[in-house]
Amino acid sequence: GAGPARTALAYVVKQCFGTACSQDELFERCGLKDMLEHVCAGYSATALAYGPTGSGKTYTIAGKPDSIIKHGTGDASDGVVIRTVEALFEKIRALQRDGLQFKVSGPSLAMR
């Protein structure tokens, strides 16, 4: 009998970052700063890290475990989350000088 049907999949990637890419370089090249323009205009945005186990997704997103707690921000290992939050508040400060006001909030957590 015939085996299960197979479907060919094709993916188009804009960029691929290798192991020599620093956290800073990745943040500068990955497009998150461009997404912040849309966020400041009132739109939602999502960033996604995709890859096989052990490829560095958690490090890319979060940086070294507990580094922010121990050393604060500004470390070369800071992940894209802290870099994006810092860039967002930098952008907000610049826009507030033009008289705009912003409200920043996080997800609501309901106790059950």
Side-chain angles (χ1 to χ4, degrees), residues 10 12 14-15 24 26 28 43 45 53 56 58 62 64 69 74 77 86 88-90 94-96 105-106 112:
V12 177
K14 190 174 174 182
Q15 298 181 71
D24 187 51
L26 182 128
E28 291 297 321
Y43 294 94
T53 300
T58 301
K64 286 183 184 171
I69 294 169
S77 70
E86 288 180 337
L88 174 64
F89 280 98
E90 190 176 301
L95 291 168
Q96 282 179 325
S105 62
R112 294 179 191 210

Side-chain angles (χ1 to χ4, degrees), residues 88-89 102-108:
L88 174 64
F89 280 98
F102 291 83
K103 178 182 178 183
V104 179
S105 62
S108 298

Side-chain angles (χ1 to χ4, degrees), residues 1-69:
R6 295 182 186 245
T7 303
L9 298 175
Y11 298 95
V12 177
V13 294
K14 190 174 174 182
Q15 298 181 71
C16 182
F17 301 99
T19 56
C21 182
S22 69
Q23 293 282 65
D24 187 51
E25 181 185 357
L26 182 128
F27 181 68
E28 291 297 321
R29 294 177 47 205
C30 74
L32 285 171
K33 285 185 174 181
D34 294 335
M35 284 178 43
L36 289 178
E37 296 292 331
H38 300 291
V39 169
C40 287
Y43 294 94
S44 296
T46 300
L48 174 72
Y50 179 80
T53 300
S55 62
K57 298 177 301 293
T58 301
Y59 175 75
T60 298
I61 296 297
K64 286 183 184 171
D66 299 328
S67 177
I68 293 172
I69 294 169

